[in-house]
């Protein structure tokens, strides 16, 4: 490979100075100079120092104003002082900033400020968690040592006990294993375990039926991972999963040892444990079932909290991306099996609980199980949906929130059955229990108990009773106990016709009594006529409710109690502010007609014998009146919103469905008009339930006048569900209003553009690890283009200006069109498995569903969001400009640190240059390089070596700045710009390498001295080390001519395109691409001297560095 001389860059020239005369050659050049000149002219890589031309012979417009420099083989003209050349070069100072660059930076700053302001002040969910308290005690299992696991010296296993409740360290209940998350502590189990111990002692232990049915206490085990960082390192995740499988085997063995167990010997020994995982602990839990040391059926129930199941939170480590792919593929393939015998996970139930928008650590979108687990084995629910919780939670609050831990413990207790070896109920019963405790009860998958129950109450009424409500009329009770005796009100069930569009709803501020409960509250019964035949008695029923008043003529009804299907709703009164207020909830019943069509009456029984306040409203409503379907598209929704007027004769419950409202990137403002009552009193104020069906996310707004609507619906980068295309149902708004207020109601829904900006942060924050690299790659590409053509390595700021004029706009336009194409293909129906196209849809032959189709570029499934490409690109430009000037400030400050006192300086230019770069001898640097590579191959990860090279490069840049400033030479300015641009590239690659480095340092801090088990590829860092070492000697990269210069340009352009398309999902590859580009630069350096040990020494030798103007003398 033939090269131009590396010292051919001499000076910048004033673009406006058209009369500049190039210096005349000095007489009597040396024989070596003539030989080199002759060789260069005869080489195919030689290019004369004329202004570059395009194919038509005209100068390149992008480089207009750049005047070529004379070759270093032609000595400079003594008549033209170097200072004069430097003064003209200052026109392109690295500190200069064009109006275009300044404008782009200002726009980027405004966008970034607006986004952060929206994130912190708009569309914020209220925090409603109440503090929890506990008295913890931990018992460590010291005998779980190296005989059981190779990680015994790093990790530890503990048993939790609540002081003053259960202090016995012998196991006696059902094992539950808590797995902390990324950098989490084993002590985080305290709130949940304490509530479990207290709940069992105060409630369950006194319930004879519960004990008879197999309910026992929960033994909480927890693992101390020494706050391991699992989110950044795949190998650490695998290590934890291996340890936990061995811990599960050890825990189960404790129940077999009579010395350590107090269980009833008649009960079967446990064969499985319940897993409770927080954050990345939930991913570790799923990984356990894929490991080689997993004991079959030892895990059948997993509950995760704020766990990113769908995709890794960051993709900076190849192992974490690969591990995620393997885990998710295993789970998907298992549940795709037709027969249960072929599915190793058929018995496993997995519940994912997310905190919602308050969780700013992990996007709650990633908690979705739609692409992993069918509805028969699990679901995803948000804490704002869980009855009696009704609030979002941040990443840590989900562990200690008092309302949530109570529901969680009751759900865990409800699935326990110690009469089975698995210690839990069957999979179907577990799923039924989890739906009862975690879902609102209004979802389509919510199961009603009424159809499966038997009549338990015999209701006897007078034949001439006036309590039968006319069909189609509404029952409204504004008080109770007015007759001082129980009173029943019957609503006839309408005749059933298929398909039925009628539903029954009841809302009350009273708690509904269950069968046999003797409280004087409200009881709701579903009744059928029961003719008492001769010889038949009423002893068939456990409850006999006679309201006939000893009348001779009476009607008997066989009734089922509906209290088990009662749904809790947050109270909404004039004093209500938030759904999580400490107020008694409303009771709500909702049945479709096909569920209750076998009954003739709905009986609402007021059992109060004394007058008291309260209300209840019950009615049958038709879907045509209770459901409002808005047929507005997204563009119309953005332009004018939705405005509705609800009539005065509307049903009590109205569903407003907005299918176009499904993106998690947009937020909305909901306004509900005033509810005007004629007499000035009302039973309750309007309240709204915002909900989507996938995942199960509901939010309540009580006493609503204005509400902020944001959701976790269709989100970027999310894989498609197991069943193929997601249901496009959008958001529904379920509105409850007081029917006694006979007035119309205005409802409006409009887009909150300012609030939507804040939602971009959580969904696209990782894109700023990729898009800035795109910008930097294009800027450096422009620098090399100018350098190879005219011999001037322009500054980063000037190259940024040139790039902003054409390259970046064109690339952003192309990427925007590509984003539209990706979005349309993503929203298209699944194609046959053989339709994969090259690398755009890899693994397409494995499944008809391509789970990677949303991994590219923006990851958006809606073409509408194409504008995010230039928007995020503009912000990236501003960040790159800011980092450029920040780095300039730092290097210039450091340059004064390397400034030597005047009496140490030599008067010659050569001695001055040597003092600037010759810090150590070439031999010492060579040995240091070998030692560093040896350590990478054996002990340290290459990320540590990368950090060392970055610091060395920072030092080199500071020295280059000092040398350029003191020598006032354009040659040194070229080198300073070259070193500075490489430093910027390395700075943007640094965040990709830092997480793994942090993991390695953490391992050292906990005295885990086992060699790092990954990231020892020497080739991943060798080019960086070699190039940085060359730069410490002041070696300027040689210029390329002919077709070779297009290799650099093409490589950088491909680098930029990859960063944009794949950078978010495969960020770790960006390091390797940068490493490949640096290897190319190393090859360019070697091309000047050849490849040998001697040439390596020459490249590390400062004697041939930039600015060395000495001629080679003959040996006497």
């Amino acid at each position: 490979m033939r090269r131009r001389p590396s010292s051919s860059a001499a000076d910048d020239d004033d673009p406006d100075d058209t009369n500049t005369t190039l210096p005349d050659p000095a007489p009597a050049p040396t024989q070596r100079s003539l030989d080199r000149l002759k060789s260069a002219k005869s080489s195919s890589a030689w290019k004369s120092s004329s202004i570059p031309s395009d194919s038509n012979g005209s100068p390149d417009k992008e480089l207009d104003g750049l005047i070529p420099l004379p070759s270093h083989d032609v000595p400079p003209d003594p008549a033209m002082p170097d200072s004069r050349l430097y003064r003209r070069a200052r026109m392109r100072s690295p500190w200069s900033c064009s109006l275009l660059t300044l404008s782009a930076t200002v726009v980027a700053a405004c966008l970034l400020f607006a986004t952060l302001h929206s994130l912190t002040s708009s569309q914020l969910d209220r925090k409603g968690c109440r503090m929890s308290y506990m008295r913890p005690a931990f018992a460590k299992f010291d005998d779980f040592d190296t005989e059981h696991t190779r990680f015994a010296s790093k990790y530890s296993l503990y048993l939790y006990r609540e002081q003053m409740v259960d202090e016995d360290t012998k196991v006696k209940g059902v094992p539950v294993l808590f797995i902390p998350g990324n950098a989490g502590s084993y002590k985080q189990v305290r709130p949940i375990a304490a509530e479990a111990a207290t709940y069992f002692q105060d409630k369950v232990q006194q319930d004879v039926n519960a004990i008879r049915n197999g309910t026992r206490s929960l033994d909480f085990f927890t693992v101390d991972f020494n706050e391991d960082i699992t989110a950044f390192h795949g190998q650490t995740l695998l290590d934890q999963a291996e340890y936990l499988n061995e811990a599960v085997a050890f825990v189960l063995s404790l129940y077999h040892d009579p010395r350590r167990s107090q269980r009833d010997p008649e009960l079967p020994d446990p064969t499985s444990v319940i897993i409770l995982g927080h954050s990345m602990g939930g991913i570790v839990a799923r990984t356990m079932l894929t490991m080689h040391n997993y004991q079959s059926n030892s895990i059948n129930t997993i509950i995760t909290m704020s766990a990113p199941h769908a995709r890794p939170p960051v993709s900076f480590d190849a192992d974490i991306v690969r591990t995620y792919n393997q885990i998710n593929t295993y789970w998907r393939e298992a549940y795709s099996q037709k027969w249960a015998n072929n599915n190793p996970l058929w018995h496993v139930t997995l519940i994912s609980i997310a905190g919602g928008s308050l969780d700013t650590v992990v996007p709650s979108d990633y908690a979705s199980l739609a692409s992993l687990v069918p509805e028969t084995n699990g679901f995803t629910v948000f804490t704002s949906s869980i009855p009696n919780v009704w609030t979002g939670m941040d990443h840590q609050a989900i562990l200690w929130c008092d309302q949530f831990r109570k529901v969680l413990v009751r759900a865990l207790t409800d699935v326990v059955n110690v009469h089975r070896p698995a210690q839990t109920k069957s999979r179907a019963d577990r799923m039924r229990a989890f739906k009862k405790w975690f879902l609102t009860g209004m979802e389509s998958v919510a199961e009603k108990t009424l159809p499966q129950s038997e009549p338990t109450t015999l209701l006897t009424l007078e034949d001439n009773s006036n309590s039968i409500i006319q069909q189609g009329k509404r029952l409204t009770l504004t008080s109770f106990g007015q007759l001082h005796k129980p009173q029943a009100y019957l609503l006839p069930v309408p005749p059933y016709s298929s398909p039925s569009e009628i539903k029954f709803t009841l809302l009350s501020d009273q708690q509904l009594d269950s069968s046999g409960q003797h409280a004087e509250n409200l009881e709701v019964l579903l009744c059928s006529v029961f003719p008492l035949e001769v010889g038949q008695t009423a002893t068939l029923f456990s409850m006999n409710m006679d309201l006939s008043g000893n009348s001779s003529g009476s009607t008997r009804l066989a009734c089922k109690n509906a209290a088990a299907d009662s749904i809790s709703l947050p109270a909404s009164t004039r004093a209500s502010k938030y759904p999580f207020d400490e107020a008694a909830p409303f009771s709500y019943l909702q049945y479709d007609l096909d569920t209750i069509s076998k009954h003739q009456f709905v009986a609402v029984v007021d059992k109060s014998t004394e007058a008291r306040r309260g209300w209840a409203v019950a009615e049958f409503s038709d879907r045509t009146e209770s459901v409002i379907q808005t047929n507005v598209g997204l563009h119309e929704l953005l332009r004018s919103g939705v405005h509705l007027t609800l009539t005065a004769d509307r049903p009590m419950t109205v569903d407003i469905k907005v299918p176009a409202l499904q993106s998690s990137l947009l937020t909305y403002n909901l306004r509900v008009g005033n509810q005007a009552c004629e007499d000035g009193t009302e039973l309750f104020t309007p309240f709204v339930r915002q909900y989507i069906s996938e995942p199960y996310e509901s939010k309540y707004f009580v006493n609503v006048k204005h509400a902020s609507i944001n959701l976790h619906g269709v989100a970027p980068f999310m894989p498609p569900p197991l069943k193929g295309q997601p249901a496009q149902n959008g958001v529904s708004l379920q509105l409850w209003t007081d029917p006694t207020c006979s007035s119309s109601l205005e409802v409006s829904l409009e887009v909150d553009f300012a609030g939507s900006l804040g939602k971009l942060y959580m969904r696209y924050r990782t894109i700023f690890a990729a898009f800035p690299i795109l910008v930097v790659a294009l800027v450096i590409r422009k620098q090399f283009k100018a350098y190879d053509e005219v011999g001037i390595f322009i500054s980063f700021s000037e190259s940024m200006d040139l790039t902003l004029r054409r390259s970046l706009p064109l690339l952003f336009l192309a990427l925007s069109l590509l984003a539209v194409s990706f979005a349309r293909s993503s929203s298209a129906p699944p194609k046959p498995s053989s339709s994969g196209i090259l690398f755009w849809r890899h693994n397409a032959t494995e499944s008809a569903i391509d789970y990677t189709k949303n991994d590219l570029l923006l990851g958006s499934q809606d073409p509408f969001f194409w504008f995010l490409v230039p928007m995020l690109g503009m912000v990236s430009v501003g960040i790159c400009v800011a980092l450029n000037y920040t780095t300039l400030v730092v290097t210039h400050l450091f340059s004064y640190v390397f400034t030597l006192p005047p009496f140490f300086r030599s008067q010659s230019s050569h001695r001055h240059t040597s003092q600037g770069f010759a810090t150590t001898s070439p031999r010492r640097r060579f040995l240091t390089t070998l030692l560093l590579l040896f350590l990478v191959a054996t002990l340290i990860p290459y990320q540590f070596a990368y950090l060392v090279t970055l610091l060395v490069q920072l030092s080199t840049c500071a020295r280059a700045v000092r040398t350029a400033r003191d020598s006032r030479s354009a040659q040194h300015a070229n080198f300073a710009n070259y070193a500075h641009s490489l430093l910027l590239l390395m700075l943007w690659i640094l965040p990709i390498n830092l997480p793994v480095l942090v993991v390695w340092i953490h391992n050292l801090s906990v005295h885990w001295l086992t060699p790092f088990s990954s990231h020892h590829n020497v080739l991943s860092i060798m080019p960086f080390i070699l190039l940085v070492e060359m730069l410490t000697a002041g070696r300027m990269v040689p210029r390329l001519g002919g077709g070779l210069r297009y290799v650099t340009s093409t490589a950088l352009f491909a680098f930029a395109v990859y960063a944009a398309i794949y950078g978010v999902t495969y960020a770790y590859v960006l390091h390797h691409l940068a490493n490949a580009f640096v290897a190319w630069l190393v090859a360019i350096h070697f091309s000047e001297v050849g490849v040998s040990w001697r040439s390596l020494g020459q490249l590390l030798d400062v004697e041939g560095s930039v600015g060395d103007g000495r001629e080679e003398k003959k040996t006497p």
Side-chain angles (χ1 to χ4, degrees), residues 66-84:
L66 298 181
I67 296 181
L69 297 175
S71 170
H72 180 66
D73 296 299
V74 183
D77 185 1
M80 180 178 293
D82 192 59
S83 60
R84 177 184 168 188

Side-chain angles (χ1 to χ4, degrees), residues 950-1022:
L950 177 65
L951 296 177
V952 174
Q953 180 66 12
L954 178 61
S955 172
T956 300
C957 288
R959 295 175 186 275
V961 167
R962 171 216 162 178
T963 304
R965 182 179 63 242
D966 293 348
S967 67
R968 305 172 68 85
S969 167
Q971 298 180 31
H972 292 103
N974 277 354
F975 179 78
N977 291 336
Y978 171 56
H980 175 78
S981 297
L982 290 179
L983 176 63
L984 288 177
L985 177 62
M986 295 179 69
L987 285 173
W988 280 115
I989 299 297
L990 180 63
I992 300 174
N993 291 306
L994 272 182
V996 174
L997 182 60
V998 170
V999 174
W1000 180 69
I1001 295 175
H1002 173 267
N1003 284 346
L1004 295 181
S1005 67
V1006 298
H1007 306 292
W1008 181 250
L1009 303 180
T1010 301
F1012 215 51
S1013 56
S1014 59
H1015 304 283
H1016 291 293
N1017 188 354
V1018 175
L1019 297 180
S1020 297
I1021 192 60
M1022 181 185 293

Side-chain angles (χ1 to χ4, degrees), residues 468-474 491-495 620:
I468 299 180
I469 308 299
Q470 184 179 351
Q471 187 167 337
K473 297 295 183 179
R474 179 185 295 121
L491 283 80
V493 176
F620 284 93

Side-chain angles (χ1 to χ4, degrees), residues 217-267:
S217 62
L218 301 176
D219 292 329
F220 273 87
F221 297 85
T222 181
V223 181
D224 182 10
F225 285 135
N226 281 310
E227 301 181 359
D228 254 351
I229 304 175
T230 50
F232 300 154
H233 196 227
Q235 187 58 48
T236 300
L237 189 150
L238 296 174
D239 291 347
Q240 290 187 1
E242 179 182 340
Y243 175 83
L244 287 170
N245 278 328
E246 291 158 348
V248 166
F250 178 81
V251 166
L252 293 177
S253 69
L254 297 176
Y255 292 84
H256 303 166
D257 188 352
R259 298 170 301 175
R260 313 184 75 165
S261 174
Q262 286 186 345
R263 283 172 59 93
D264 187 344
E266 296 182 358
L267 295 175

Side-chain angles (χ1 to χ4, degrees), residues 681-844:
T681 60
E682 56 190 359
L683 303 180
F684 60 93
T685 56
F687 64 101
V688 173
R689 171 190 170 227
Q690 165 209 329
Y691 68 94
I692 56 177
S693 57
E694 192 178 282
Y696 298 118
E697 180 185 25
S698 295
K699 292 183 181 179
Y700 294 92
F701 305 96
V702 297
N703 191 19
V704 63
K705 295 181 178 63
H706 172 271
S708 298
I709 305 296
N710 56 79
L711 63 147
H712 295 83
V714 179
F717 304 109
M718 291 295 294
L722 280 175
K723 59 186 179 183
Q725 286 297 102
Q728 305 294 329
N729 296 326
V731 167
S732 296
L733 302 174
Q734 192 170 5
L735 175 65
W736 286 268
T737 56
D738 187 352
T740 63
C741 299
S742 300
S743 63
S744 60
L745 194 66
E746 300 291 333
V747 178
S748 66
L749 183 70
E750 296 179 344
V751 178
D752 182 4
F753 291 100
S756 300
L757 285 176
K759 302 307 173 185
L760 296 177
Y761 169 78
M762 286 303 297
R763 275 78 180 191
Y764 285 114
R765 57 183 178 178
T766 55
I767 208 169
F768 293 110
F771 266 43
I773 295 179
L774 174 152
V775 176
V776 171
L778 290 181
V779 172
I780 295 178
R781 174 177 175 266
K782 190 69 67 177
Q783 289 178 296
F784 272 97
K785 183 177 181 180
Y787 177 63
D788 285 334
E789 293 186 353
V790 299
I792 301 173
F793 204 95
I794 58 179
S795 66
F796 189 88
S797 56
E798 183 179 2
S799 182
M800 175 68 77
D801 175 66
L802 294 174
T803 306
L804 281 172
R805 295 183 185 277
R806 193 170 76 172
S807 300
L808 275 175
L810 290 177
L811 184 58
F812 287 157
L813 175 61
L815 291 176
S816 299
L817 296 176
L818 193 60
V820 173
S821 175
F822 285 158
R824 288 178 176 174
S825 65
S826 175
S827 58
K831 296 182 179 181
S833 59
S834 60
S835 61
I837 302 177
L838 298 180
F839 58 89
W840 297 106
R841 295 184 57 184
H842 51 278
N843 296 333

Side-chain angles (χ1 to χ4, degrees), residues 1028-1046:
V1028 168
E1029 284 296 333
M1030 292 175 188
L1031 294 182
T1032 58
R1035 285 281 177 181
M1036 183 62 186
V1037 62
R1039 293 170 60 190
L1040 284 175
L1044 291 177
R1045 60 191 177 96
Y1046 295 111

Side-chain angles (χ1 to χ4, degrees), residues 449-516:
T449 62
L450 186 73
Q452 288 77 32
S453 61
E454 296 293 333
T456 56
T457 302
L458 180 64
L459 179 62
T460 306
L461 302 174
E462 295 181 81
D463 285 342
N464 59 352
S465 174
N466 295 322
S467 60
I468 299 180
I469 308 299
Q470 184 179 351
Q471 187 167 337
K473 297 295 183 179
R474 179 185 295 121
L475 169 65
T476 302
L477 302 178
T478 57
S479 61
F480 298 106
Q482 296 297 325
L483 300 179
H484 301 283
K485 66 176 183 178
Q487 177 72 15
Y489 303 90
L490 302 183
L491 283 80
V493 176
Y496 177 76
S497 60
S498 180
S500 175
E501 299 289 340
I502 298 176
K503 67 177 180 180
F504 169 77
T505 54
L506 178 144
L507 183 66
S508 176
D509 64 344
Q510 305 295 307
Q511 182 179 0
L512 302 185
D513 287 347
S514 58
S515 180

